[in-house]
Amino acid sequence: MRWIHGSPSAKHNTDPDIQVHAYDDHTFILRQNMAVHYEAPFLFLLCGNERAVLIDTGATPSPEFFPLRQVVDGLLADWQDRHPGDEDYHLLVLHTHGHGDHIAGDGQFADRPGTTVVHADRATAWRYFGFDKDPDAVAHVDLGGRVLECLATPGHHEAAVTYYDPATGLLLTGDTVYPGRLYIQDVPAFTRSIERLIEFAERRPVTHVLGCHIEMTTEPGVDYPVRTTYQPDEPPLQLTAAHFRRIRDALDRLADDGSWSAHRDFVLCPHS
């Protein structure tokens, strides 16, 4: 997949505000245009028989510049045309974590009929998943014929959540793991989360590990600077479960000397 990756002049950018890739007939990967916001986050729309879930809402509130609801409504209308069923098809809005570039579009769905928006603050999100009572639980989100498994994976953010979709084998890791600079707010919590992801992935078929950004270059260990709006030499978005062990090894080295660790696919930073 060739993702839109900005342009030398944001003013003259002609790419869509939101790129949509149909991974399969029921799974859509969206990327925000860098000309709209340099973070260019990825979002995920998964459809089940009874409801769909949108995971994250991007970095820009304004529907004029970032028409997320319009795009999602169009995708769901097309999907329902191909898969007739309940006219009251529900949309659930969840998040990988509560940083601004993942929740800014929430307001576009506040008045949408048949929609539940679960806010991304720790108290609200973890209560929804039951992590407030058992942070080590594996929560389930039932979309009707498609049940996601959800893990609390704090470290980058106190309320970070990872989603696993058995239907596709996709493991959606948010900003916990992606090809770029991994910012760690809480090193012990992040280390525990990586250990948990290693154990979780060993027991399930994982096709791809998908984070919410691409920030690496194709030169091993070299990432794009913050606020970059043109990334012509991006590597693919997808990583593998084997990367979890590489990150754990880098964390071990950080524990020894506290320095950054640069790898082919990520740069580990011990402080946010």
Side-chain angles (χ1 to χ4, degrees), residues 4-11 13 16-17 31-43 58-61 65-66 99-102 104 156 175 178-181 183 212-216 223-232 234:
I4 56 173
H5 51 263
S7 61
S9 171
K11 179 180 179 180
N13 183 275
D17 295 329
R31 191 187 196 183
Q32 184 168 355
N33 190 335
M34 284 187 174
V36 178
H37 198 287
Y38 72 90
E39 291 281 10
F42 288 85
L43 300 74
T60 302
F65 298 105
F66 182 56
H99 284 151
D101 55 317
H102 299 265
H156 170 76
D175 283 5
Y178 63 92
R181 186 178 297 265
Y183 293 95
C212 285
H213 301 278
I214 300 174
E215 295 178 356
M216 297 302 293
D223 61 331
Y224 281 102
V226 175
R227 298 188 181 276
T228 298
T229 57
Y230 181 45
Q231 298 184 174
E234 287 186 341

Side-chain angles (χ1 to χ4, degrees), residues 1 3 19-24 27-31:
M1 180 62 195
W3 299 107
Q19 180 183 11
V20 178
H21 170 58
Y23 181 80
D24 63 23
T27 308
F28 304 91
I29 303 173
L30 289 64
R31 191 187 196 183

Side-chain angles (χ1 to χ4, degrees), residues 229-250:
T229 57
Y230 181 45
Q231 298 184 174
D233 298 315
E234 287 186 341
L237 171 65
Q238 63 268 24
L239 298 173
T240 71
H243 284 92
F244 298 144
R245 294 186 179 275
R246 294 175 60 189
I247 293 171
R248 184 180 63 184
D249 292 343

Side-chain angles (χ1 to χ4, degrees), residues 38-53:
Y38 72 90
E39 291 281 10
F42 288 85
L43 300 74
F44 305 91
L45 180 66
L46 313 180
C47 298
N49 296 332
E50 299 171 8
R51 63 190 61 85
V53 61

Side-chain angles (χ1 to χ4, degrees), residues 38-228:
Y38 72 90
E39 291 281 10
F42 288 85
L43 300 74
F44 305 91
L45 180 66
L46 313 180
C47 298
N49 296 332
E50 299 171 8
R51 63 190 61 85
V53 61
L54 175 65
I55 300 175
D56 286 348
T57 61
T60 302
S62 169
E64 178 183 0
F65 298 105
F66 182 56
L68 180 60
R69 175 171 165 179
Q70 177 184 334
V71 169
V72 168
D73 284 351
L75 288 171
L76 291 181
D78 289 345
W79 186 88
Q80 287 181 274
D81 286 343
R82 298 192 306 273
H83 306 277
D86 190 350
E87 294 183 359
D88 297 324
Y89 194 72
H90 194 83
L91 175 65
L92 175 64
V93 178
L94 300 176
H95 306 85
T96 59
H97 63 294
H99 284 151
D101 55 317
H102 299 265
I103 64 172
D106 282 12
Q108 296 188 35
F109 298 91
D111 61 351
R112 185 184 186 278
T115 302
T116 300
V117 178
V118 179
H119 295 293
D121 63 281
R122 177 166 173 152
T124 303
W126 283 32
R127 187 183 312 114
Y128 177 83
F129 292 111
F131 298 151
D132 56 331
K133 296 179 180 178
D134 184 2
D136 295 324
V138 176
H140 296 88
V141 174
D142 190 348
L143 305 179
R146 186 177 195 177
V147 181
L148 308 185
E149 295 183 274
C150 314
L151 309 181
T153 49
H156 170 76
H157 183 275
E158 65 174 2
V161 177
T162 291
Y163 300 86
Y164 175 69
D165 176 30
T168 59
L170 297 178
L171 189 62
L172 309 179
T173 51
D175 283 5
T176 299
V177 175
Y178 63 92
R181 186 178 297 265
L182 305 184
Y183 293 95
I184 306 172
Q185 181 185 60
D186 183 332
V187 174
F190 186 87
T191 302
R192 288 194 297 273
S193 293
I194 293 299
E195 290 285 0
R196 192 169 185 212
L197 286 170
I198 290 171
E199 295 174 2
F200 184 88
E202 285 177 343
R203 292 173 170 80
R204 291 157 180 83
V206 175
T207 54
H208 301 294
V209 173
L210 301 182
C212 285
H213 301 278
I214 300 174
E215 295 178 356
M216 297 302 293
T217 69
T218 53
E219 183 178 347
V222 178
D223 61 331
Y224 281 102
V226 175
R227 298 188 181 276
T228 298

